[in-house]
Amino acid sequence: MFDAHTPLVRVRDLKMHFPIYSGLFRKRTGEVKAVDGVSFDVFEGETLGLVGESGCGKSTCGRAVLRLYDITEGEITIDGAEIGTKDQSDLRSMRPVMQMVFQDPQASLNPRMTVEAIIREPLDEHTTLSAAEKREKVLELMDAVGLNRAFAGRYPHAFSGGQRQRIGIARALALNPKFIVCDEPIAALDVSIQAQVVNLLEDLQEQFGLTYLFISHDLSMVRHIADRVAVMYLGKIVEIAPSDILYTAPKHPYTQALLSAVPEPDPSADARGERIVLQGDVPSPSNPPKGCNFCTRCPKVMDICKEVEPASVELAPGHVTACHLYQN
Amino acid sequence: MPDTVKPILSVEGLQTVFNTRKGEIHAVNHVDFDLRAGELLGVVGESGSGKSVTMMSLLKLLPMPPAEVRNGRAMFDGRDLLQLSDDELRTVRGGEIGFVFQDPMTSLNPVFTVGFQIMEPLRTHMGLSKRDAKKRAQELLELVGIPDAARRLDDYPHQFSGGMRQRVMIAIALACDPKVLIADEPTTALDVTIQAQILELMKDLRDRLGMAVIWITHDLGVIAGIADRVMVMYGGQVVEHAPVKELFRNPQHPYTKALLKTVPSLSGERAKRLTVIEGQPPILSSAPNACSFRDRCPHAMPRCGTENPARYGIGNGHDAACFLVEPEVAHV
């Protein structure tokens, strides 16, 4: 379905390791492998959902793709330009193409700037518009995200969580980006407000032809918004598939367990079959297990899982999983 | 469960007000509910709907001032909790009524071992000796499924993961065999796979120990899986109350209906757009004299702006605070 397009974002073997320093001389004693060899494509106009539990590296992955970190290893191509190894100063000219919506609308807006100043800031940095043109653009953006123009002079504290997230979205849209990383944009909001923000993101995608990487731990919301979904566990993508296939026929035991753990708002939902309750916790990313990362909690663990790391296998076009159950 | 079973906790007309510099905030308005022995009552609502404040008012866990419990009765075991002295209340808290808080990261004391924190209520409420308390603490940790319990008693909270810390919190709440356990969003800070573990644990514990549980959450999915009865709160009031199956099959209040529709499902047809509840939750600067949902309600009538609907029963233990379900007879 998407094969005809060229990917807008192409990530190959991305690694982001954070060093651990300890001891008297702050010697480097290890590293946290937050993202450890992740490859995926995002095609123009689609939404790729990235799901996983906290600490699995999904946010780090999103930030690394935009080069908010200096990555350890890997290739990142966005809109035809290789940005994996560029200097931060060279990246500035690329920034208008790729933007980000942050998780916490409370923390990501400067409390001492008015809404107008917040949304205008990217325009100040990257364009040569006159003051009047900028103001007009800011007001247009406020219309686009459903904020009342009359509130342009107010400060972030005067807004509710959902409205603040709209300000963050308007700021991300200011430079007409092609690609937006949404890092848990709805996690801090109430259910009834979440739906408003998700509908807004979908409307804007249609209107401006945006491409999203939508990071979330809310599996039911990702099912709604994403065309394809990637599941991360302990720094690696364990399964990636078109959303309909992933939710109806998950292959990786972790995806199966994750989906069965989501409580359904239906008391007669026992029909879904036996719930898989995983034992134990996620291992530390500074000391991942040998072999498959999931072998310590996997209900279908085999001997080989504890020795050899499974390679990614394409089970069907676009459906890739890394599990020994499916290796030929 | 027959309605004739005597409730273990019975709350009537509870009203809690916060006195702030900008005036009063009416967080809880005339909340009535019963809790029967052995049942699990789910309380759902968005943030600011008053669900946590309701439960914390009962045990005076709110800072007073600014909080003030203005009216109401909470009968527990033949006594009114709201009239008890601080000393009497201290024997109830953590003794007969256990409390599990939302955030397992901040509700354990980081400078004491987990064993000490579990033994503390055992020694103060039940007067156990240090050795007996330690034995009991170990049993409790085993009960909530912490492996290698004997050794882990000497560990500090930072040595436990989030899910394990929440298990420790549950162990502390269960220490003195409470008759009622109040769990305030116990799984909200946890991942889904860990949440599934805690939900299984709670179901199992309730069957084994037979206590009554009040489970506060904003997640309708959690409620559907675990509760016997559900109370939906909005704007500091109970807007709907029903047995769990009845509520999900036959919701009556427009807020409950809308809430059920906004949550996307994991299976079935994918909706083109999500249903939204337009507008914002109300700010409760005065006691309600009109329906608090009227500004966001698709069925709002002129009457909704002048009169606060009472909770009208519609049978099967189901009631809703909406003029749409008002029985015709009441008009005559």
Side-chain angles (χ1 to χ4, degrees):
Chain A
M1 178 176 166
F2 298 103
D3 288 349
H5 310 225
T6 44
L8 178 73
V9 179
R10 187 169 172 278
V11 176
R12 285 294 173 273
D13 207 25
L14 175 67
K15 287 187 184 166
M16 183 68 236
H17 296 178
F18 296 100
I20 304 168
Y21 298 102
S22 62
L24 184 60
F25 300 105
R26 313 311 296 163
K27 259 171 61 180
R28 183 170 175 151
T29 51
E31 51 202 0
V32 176
K33 294 174 180 166
V35 178
D36 197 21
V38 161
S39 302
F40 60 86
D41 294 328
V42 192
F43 297 94
E44 197 145 3
E46 77 162 346
T47 303
L48 176 69
L50 185 58
V51 297
E53 296 179 271
S54 48
C56 74
K58 55 189 191 303
S59 288
T60 309
C61 180
R63 299 174 72 109
V65 168
L66 292 189
R67 284 296 315 279
L68 298 184
Y69 298 122
D70 285 327
I71 59 173
T72 312
E73 235 182 277
E75 284 172 40
I76 305 166
T77 316
I78 294 185
D79 199 21
E82 161 62 41
I83 62 163
T85 48
K86 270 196 183 169
D87 271 1
Q88 289 293 352
S89 51
D90 296 339
L91 279 171
R92 275 182 67 83
S93 59
M94 278 293 291
R95 292 278 171 218
V97 178
M98 47 191 197
Q99 288 288 318
M100 184 146 182
V101 176
F102 294 93
Q103 170 168 6
D104 186 352
Q106 171 91 55
S108 59
L109 302 176
N110 187 335
R112 304 183 68 168
M113 285 164 83
T114 62
V115 171
E116 188 186 345
I118 289 171
I119 302 177
R120 200 183 55 218
E121 200 176 17
L123 300 171
D124 292 340
E125 289 288 325
H126 289 282
T127 67
T128 52
L129 299 175
S130 71
E133 285 169 327
K134 280 182 199 160
R135 181 164 170 84
E136 192 45 43
K137 176 84 182 163
V138 168
L139 295 178
E140 274 171 29
L141 287 164
M142 289 185 72
D143 288 344
V145 298
L147 285 168
N148 192 329
R149 284 178 172 224
F151 297 163
R154 295 195 184 181
Y155 289 88
H157 71 83
F159 293 88
S160 66
Q163 288 173 318
R164 280 191 207 135
Q165 201 52 283
R166 287 170 195 265
I167 301 172
I169 294 170
R171 174 175 62 183
L173 286 175
L175 296 166
N176 301 321
K178 288 187 175 170
F179 176 56
I180 298 184
V181 174
C182 305
D183 184 8
E184 305 244 18
I186 52 167
L189 308 174
D190 269 321
V191 243
S192 70
I193 310 296
Q194 284 184 355
Q196 295 177 1
V197 172
V198 166
N199 278 348
L200 171 70
L201 285 170
E202 288 188 313
D203 291 345
L204 295 171
Q205 180 168 41
E206 211 163 288
Q207 203 179 334
F208 298 108
L210 299 170
T211 305
Y212 292 138
L213 177 64
F214 190 91
I215 301 169
S216 179
H217 64 269
D218 185 338
L219 287 148
S220 47
M221 212 41 110
V222 167
R223 176 175 186 263
H224 176 81
I225 195 170
D227 302 304
R228 291 190 304 134
V229 180
V231 182
M232 263 186 100
Y233 184 78
L234 211 59
K236 292 196 160 83
I237 289 183
V238 297
E239 184 161 9
I240 182 163
S243 140
D244 293 335
I245 295 174
L246 188 99
Y247 283 86
T248 47
K251 290 293 183 205
H252 197 282
Y254 178 65
T255 317
Q256 292 168 356
L258 197 63
L259 286 172
S260 92
V262 179
E264 283 264 354
D266 178 4
S268 49
D270 298 339
R272 279 189 311 144
E274 194 58 21
R275 170 181 287 208
I276 309 165
V277 179
L278 290 179
Q279 298 302 314
D281 290 304
V282 186
S284 158
S286 62
N287 185 20
K290 195 176 169 212
C292 174
N293 273 347
F294 189 52
C295 72
T296 54
R297 299 171 83 197
C298 183
K300 295 178 182 162
V301 65
M302 302 177 289
D303 288 338
I304 186 173
C305 304
K306 293 173 184 159
E307 296 296 331
V308 185
E309 193 185 319
S312 295
V313 196
E314 187 157 23
L315 300 170
H319 190 171
V320 178
T321 185
C323 179
H324 283 297
L325 289 173
Y326 305 102
Q327 314 271 351
N328 299 327
Chain B
M1 200 178 289
D3 278 349
T4 48
V5 179
K6 204 165 165 272
I8 179 165
L9 174 69
S10 167
V11 176
E12 275 171 46
L14 185 72
Q15 190 187 10
T16 304
V17 176
F18 289 89
N19 294 302
T20 67
R21 269 191 293 176
K22 287 181 186 160
E24 293 183 340
I25 303 286
H26 289 249
V28 178
N29 296 298
H30 289 280
V31 167
D32 303 334
F33 69 92
D34 287 341
L35 179 70
R36 300 178 203 126
E39 80 167 343
L40 199 149
L41 175 69
V43 182
V44 224
E46 294 179 76
S47 41
S49 63
K51 53 195 193 303
S52 297
V53 176
T54 302
M55 299 310 157
M56 290 169 109
S57 306
L58 297 180
L59 292 178
K60 289 199 189 158
L61 287 172
L62 295 166
M64 301 188 181
E68 179 194 345
V69 178
R70 201 163 275 181
N71 277 307
R73 277 195 330 153
M75 299 308 291
F76 174 73
D77 225 3
R79 291 176 295 174
D80 185 352
L81 288 178
L82 300 176
Q83 303 300 329
L84 293 185
S85 69
D86 286 353
D87 282 346
E88 288 171 309
L89 206 53
R90 202 165 292 136
T91 66
V92 175
R93 286 189 204 130
E96 287 158 286
I97 301 184
F99 219 109
V100 179
F101 296 95
Q102 173 169 356
D103 190 353
M105 310 299 158
T106 53
S107 39
L108 288 169
N109 191 330
V111 302
F112 291 108
T113 63
V114 159
F116 178 85
Q117 295 184 61
I118 303 176
M119 279 150 66
E120 195 179 0
L122 290 168
R123 300 192 65 199
T124 47
H125 289 301
M126 298 174 84
L128 293 188
S129 72
K130 208 165 178 181
R131 187 189 295 152
D132 291 345
K134 189 159 187 179
K135 220 171 111 207
R136 172 87 178 126
Q138 188 185 332
E139 284 170 17
L140 283 162
L141 279 191
E142 279 161 8
L143 183 73
V144 296
I146 292 182
D148 205 3
R151 199 178 49 78
R152 301 230 64 180
L153 282 176
D154 297 326
D155 283 352
Y156 287 88
H158 73 264
Q159 290 165 293
F160 288 75
S161 65
M164 286 295 165
R165 270 182 244 184
Q166 198 57 287
R167 285 167 194 259
V168 172
M169 287 298 297
I170 294 172
I172 294 174
L174 295 178
C176 303
D177 292 323
K179 292 184 186 132
V180 177
L181 180 72
I182 301 177
D184 186 359
E185 306 237 15
T187 59
T188 304
L190 306 175
D191 281 314
V192 273
T193 58
I194 309 295
Q195 169 172 289
Q197 292 175 359
I198 299 284
L199 291 179
E200 291 296 315
L201 171 71
M202 279 309 298
K203 277 190 216 165
D204 178 49
L205 287 178
R206 190 168 61 104
D207 291 345
R208 273 201 275 168
L209 310 176
M211 65 199 161
V213 182
I214 297 178
W215 189 284
I216 305 174
T217 181
H218 65 270
D219 188 334
L220 287 160
V222 169
I223 285 290
I226 194 168
D228 298 315
R229 280 192 303 144
V230 188
M231 198 162 92
V232 183
M233 290 193 69
Y234 186 82
Q237 299 177 76
V238 179
V239 293
E240 186 156 9
H241 160 246
V244 66
K245 286 198 172 136
E246 168 82 10
L247 185 91
F248 282 89
R249 201 173 45 223
N250 184 22
Q252 290 297 321
H253 196 283
Y255 176 65
T256 318
K257 285 184 191 168
L259 205 58
L260 284 169
K261 275 195 213 134
T262 53
V263 189
S265 169
L266 269 189
S267 51
E269 198 64 17
R270 251 202 296 173
K272 195 87 187 83
R273 281 177 72 80
L274 293 174
T275 326
V276 301
I277 308 177
E278 291 300 339
Q280 301 290 329
I283 296 158
L284 309 154
S285 51
S286 61
N289 48 15
C291 175
S292 49
F293 189 58
R294 68 184 186 284
D295 292 338
R296 303 173 81 185
C297 182
H299 308 288
M301 305 177 279
R303 192 179 169 198
C304 304
T306 55
E307 211 180 319
N308 192 17
R311 285 164 66 182
Y312 302 109
I314 56 166
N316 296 334
H318 189 166
D319 61 63
C322 180
F323 292 123
L324 292 177
V325 300
E326 185 181 19
E328 296 294 329
V329 238
H331 287 294
V332 188

